[in-house]
Amino acid sequence: MARPKKRLGKKAPQITYRSKSATRKEEIIKITAQLFSEKSYHDVTMDEIAEKVGVAKGTIYLYFESKEKLYLEILEDRHEAIESLLEKEIAKSDPAPQKLRKILRIIFKFYRQNLDVLRILSRDETHLIREHYEFTEHWRLRRIKLYEKILEKGVKEGSFLPTNIKLTSQLIFGLVRSVMFFYKTDKSAEETAEEVFSVIARGILANQDEENNKDKDIGSKGNEVNLG
Amino acid sequence: MARPKKRLGKKAPQITYRSKSATRKEEIIKITAQLFSEKSYHDVTMDEIAEKVGVAKGTIYLYFESKEKLYLEILEDRHEAIESLLEKEIAKSDPAPQKLRKILRIIFKFYRQNLDVLRILSRDETHLIREHYEFTEHWRLRRIKLYEKILEKGVKEGSFLPTNIKLTSQLIFGLVRSVMFFYKTDKSAEETAEEVFSVIARGILANQDEENNKDKDIGSKGNEVNLG
DNA sequence: TGTAAATAACTGACCAGTCAGTCATATTTT
DNA sequence: AAAATATGACTGACTGGTCAGTTATTTACA
């Protein structure tokens, strides 16, 4: 056991003590969420977090057992927030189109206000920590299941076309994420949600019957996209 | 400075020599692309690449100046492949819906055969190397522009509804990516493309006029996105 | 034999996590 | 009320390991 050497002259620490597990932890989460949304997991160092929070590195380890756990806690924290909002909404008994519309509104609104988590959640990092992968996959699957439920309901009610439900859910998931993430606009979250709903609902074709079934030569002829 | 010691007895290298910059480089790219698609940039080490390629680490540096450059070259390599396919297609003068349909087919087909690049390109790692960010953004913007072009054409022709084109392009981009990435199916790429086209084209609503305008209590009435 | 290609030991920077020690405050003792 | 003692939040130098990139040396072959 090495004897700790006398500390060489250091700047006097200027500390405001707080009761543990109260504000400190939240403060760390808040600032770290911001950092993780700006840079990748590996590019955020514990030293940097400590510096930004204004605390010594060791302190972080009093509240979080590891970097991974800190990361995961941020995710879980916000995930529960949106999930409980959605839960409340699906419990209601609106007709399916209405339901979808409202769900979209909630999602758009929430992520407008939580862009940092969105950025973290939306990274398709199927890598990183195993737990992170499992977490985001779980989150994705759950959201898709939600869309599937609504679509099934709509088809039963006769308000939705009997399309391929699995595919359509996946498609809605992706489209929502993409718009949230990249679409820059001055419009309110509600308006954007409504616009998105419109496209999903009606599609883009002007004349439904006329143009749609022209080219049905799938899989067969020509067009042999040999990759380069 | 430690003198490099005499090389201690080592397994005799069993090498098939090739002319430089020929097969070697392609081989490295191929195997590394696979690795990068399985793990994140930071989790793939140069040592691992060397081992998998069956070559000494130093050798890789004869062909690529750095890890970043190697990564970027993989991206560019495949990017050009798909881009030239798309280029050929948009040069044709099909009506817009046809065009969109064909583009979707090309994209789905290409990425079926190049799942590894898709995985790399699709990571929303707005982080990592600056150049990687710029590359994927450039790639995304370009693809979105392509959709915008087709949509504009369609609106002019009267085959597409005058929706919010920027939003719709973004939406198509996201939806395509999501389906390519996550949607598991036995169907051919062409069939999947066709299904996706159907949803984009017709939407999911069974009765276009009846259900759509029920809930218009959104903040600002004026919603200029009149889709009909 | 000369040189291009390949090797693998080596270096140095970086970083997550540790732990001996500090110090403001709370509690107990005198 | 003052002094002695205990508490625990906080600190930051340090460690052990990892990894991108370098370089001295060896090998293949024209």
Side-chain angles (χ1 to χ4, degrees):
Chain A
M1 276 40 179
R3 218 90 286 284
K5 290 158 207 147
K6 262 281 77 137
R7 188 141 286 94
L8 343 158
K10 280 276 99 83
K11 55 187 172 180
Q14 196 69 357
I15 310 152
T16 332
Y17 284 84
R18 300 142 198 254
S19 70
K20 200 175 159 185
S21 87
T23 9
R24 254 299 128 82
K25 195 168 179 178
E26 283 166 28
E27 203 185 350
I28 295 174
I29 285 190
K30 193 179 149 207
I31 291 176
T32 310
Q34 178 60 33
L35 280 171
F36 276 133
S37 87
E38 288 163 6
K39 308 203 256 180
S40 81
Y41 180 79
H42 290 290
D43 287 332
V44 175
T45 68
M46 293 302 268
D47 287 288
E48 189 183 4
I49 294 171
E51 196 213 302
K52 284 267 166 50
V53 178
V55 111
K57 185 154 67 157
T59 304
I60 298 171
Y61 285 91
L62 296 175
Y63 296 94
F64 303 93
E65 123 190 356
S66 68
K67 190 186 180 186
E68 293 189 4
K69 284 280 161 59
L70 167 55
Y71 190 76
L72 256 10
E73 254 194 66
I74 291 171
L75 255 35
E76 276 157 21
D77 189 64
R78 311 294 186 99
H79 180 251
E80 274 161 32
I82 174 103
E83 215 56 44
S84 77
L85 285 177
L86 293 178
E87 217 104 283
K88 249 181 279 172
E89 193 56 46
I90 38 176
K92 296 180 186 169
S93 56
D94 295 308
Q98 212 66 303
K99 209 161 221 175
L100 179 57
R101 197 183 236 131
K102 284 190 178 171
I103 292 287
L104 290 181
R105 263 190 236 164
I106 292 172
I107 291 176
F108 277 94
K109 202 165 177 187
F110 181 85
Y111 286 112
R112 271 290 168 89
Q113 296 164 310
N114 293 271
L115 237 194
D116 55 350
V117 213
L118 172 65
R119 275 203 277 259
I120 300 174
L121 268 174
S122 289
R123 296 211 271 262
D124 286 319
E125 303 195 78
T126 23
H127 324 298
L128 278 187
I129 329 156
R130 200 188 136 72
E131 275 135 313
H132 177 217
Y133 171 63
E134 282 164 5
F135 183 88
T136 51
E137 186 171 35
H138 174 255
W139 165 76
R140 196 184 75 242
L141 259 27
R142 190 164 168 168
R143 189 61 46 86
I144 289 171
K145 264 272 166 330
L146 189 152
Y147 294 132
E148 284 179 14
K149 282 271 159 59
I150 298 178
L151 291 175
E152 277 164 19
K153 188 171 185 288
V155 171
K156 271 202 199 98
E157 289 172 7
S159 50
F160 287 156
L161 295 166
T163 18
N164 179 334
I165 285 180
K166 283 233 179 307
L167 178 104
T168 309
S169 311
Q170 186 66 63
L171 181 156
I172 294 175
F173 175 83
L175 127 205
V176 166
R177 190 157 87 161
S178 172
V179 172
M180 284 194 301
F181 207 80
F182 295 114
Y183 182 61
K184 303 278 179 281
T185 178
D186 293 331
K187 297 194 183 120
S188 71
E190 283 89 352
E191 282 173 292
T192 306
E194 185 62 28
E195 285 188 280
V196 168
F197 176 79
S198 277
V199 179
I200 300 174
R202 319 183 130 208
I204 59 174
L205 224 51
N207 188 330
Q208 294 293 340
D209 305 314
E210 199 179 298
E211 288 281 1
N212 197 29
N213 285 342
K214 268 192 179 168
D215 186 88
K216 275 292 188 185
D217 61 357
I218 312 165
S220 46
K221 62 140 206 162
N223 205 348
E224 60 212 67
V225 192
N226 270 329
L227 67 140
Chain B
M1 275 35 164
R3 219 93 282 289
K5 288 154 206 154
K6 264 273 77 144
R7 188 139 290 95
L8 344 156
K10 280 275 101 86
K11 53 187 173 177
Q14 195 71 355
I15 308 151
T16 333
Y17 282 83
R18 303 139 200 257
S19 70
K20 200 178 159 183
S21 86
T23 8
R24 256 297 134 83
K25 195 167 180 181
E26 282 165 29
E27 202 185 351
I28 296 173
I29 285 190
K30 192 180 149 207
I31 291 176
T32 310
Q34 178 61 33
L35 280 171
F36 276 134
S37 87
E38 288 163 5
K39 307 202 256 179
S40 81
Y41 180 79
H42 289 289
D43 287 332
V44 175
T45 68
M46 293 302 270
D47 287 286
E48 189 183 5
I49 293 171
E51 196 213 303
K52 284 267 165 50
V53 177
V55 111
K57 184 158 64 159
T59 305
I60 298 172
Y61 284 90
L62 296 176
Y63 296 93
F64 302 93
E65 119 191 359
S66 68
K67 191 186 179 186
E68 293 190 4
K69 285 279 160 58
L70 168 55
Y71 190 76
L72 256 12
E73 255 194 64
I74 292 171
L75 255 36
E76 276 156 21
D77 188 65
R78 311 296 185 98
H79 181 251
E80 274 160 33
I82 174 102
E83 215 58 41
S84 76
L85 286 177
L86 293 178
E87 219 103 282
K88 248 180 281 171
E89 192 56 47
I90 37 176
K92 297 180 187 169
S93 57
D94 296 308
Q98 212 67 303
K99 209 161 221 176
L100 178 57
R101 196 183 239 131
K102 284 190 178 168
I103 292 287
L104 290 181
R105 262 191 235 163
I106 293 172
I107 291 177
F108 276 94
K109 200 163 176 188
F110 181 84
Y111 286 111
R112 272 290 168 89
Q113 294 163 308
N114 292 270
L115 237 193
D116 56 349
V117 213
L118 172 66
R119 275 203 276 260
I120 300 173
L121 269 173
S122 290
R123 296 212 270 264
D124 286 318
E125 303 196 79
T126 22
H127 324 298
L128 279 187
I129 329 155
R130 199 187 135 74
E131 274 135 313
H132 176 217
Y133 171 63
E134 281 163 7
F135 182 88
T136 50
E137 186 170 36
H138 173 256
W139 165 76
R140 198 185 73 242
L141 258 29
R142 188 162 170 169
R143 190 60 49 87
I144 289 171
K145 264 274 168 324
L146 188 152
Y147 293 133
E148 284 179 15
K149 283 271 160 56
I150 298 178
L151 290 175
E152 276 164 19
K153 186 169 186 290
V155 171
K156 271 201 201 99
E157 290 173 6
S159 50
F160 287 156
L161 295 166
T163 15
N164 179 335
I165 285 179
K166 281 231 177 310
L167 178 104
T168 309
S169 310
Q170 186 66 63
L171 181 156
I172 294 175
F173 174 84
L175 131 203
V176 166
R177 191 159 84 162
S178 172
V179 171
M180 282 193 302
F181 206 81
F182 295 114
Y183 182 62
K184 302 277 178 285
T185 179
D186 293 332
K187 297 191 183 120
S188 72
E190 283 88 353
E191 282 173 291
T192 306
E194 186 61 30
E195 284 190 278
V196 169
F197 176 80
S198 272
V199 179
I200 299 175
R202 324 182 126 209
I204 59 174
L205 225 51
N207 187 330
Q208 294 292 339
D209 305 313
E210 201 179 296
E211 290 280 1
N212 197 28
N213 284 343
K214 267 191 178 168
D215 186 88
K216 275 290 188 186
D217 59 1
I218 307 158
S220 68
K221 213 49 226 142
N223 215 344
E224 75 246 50
V225 189
N226 37 28
L227 319 114

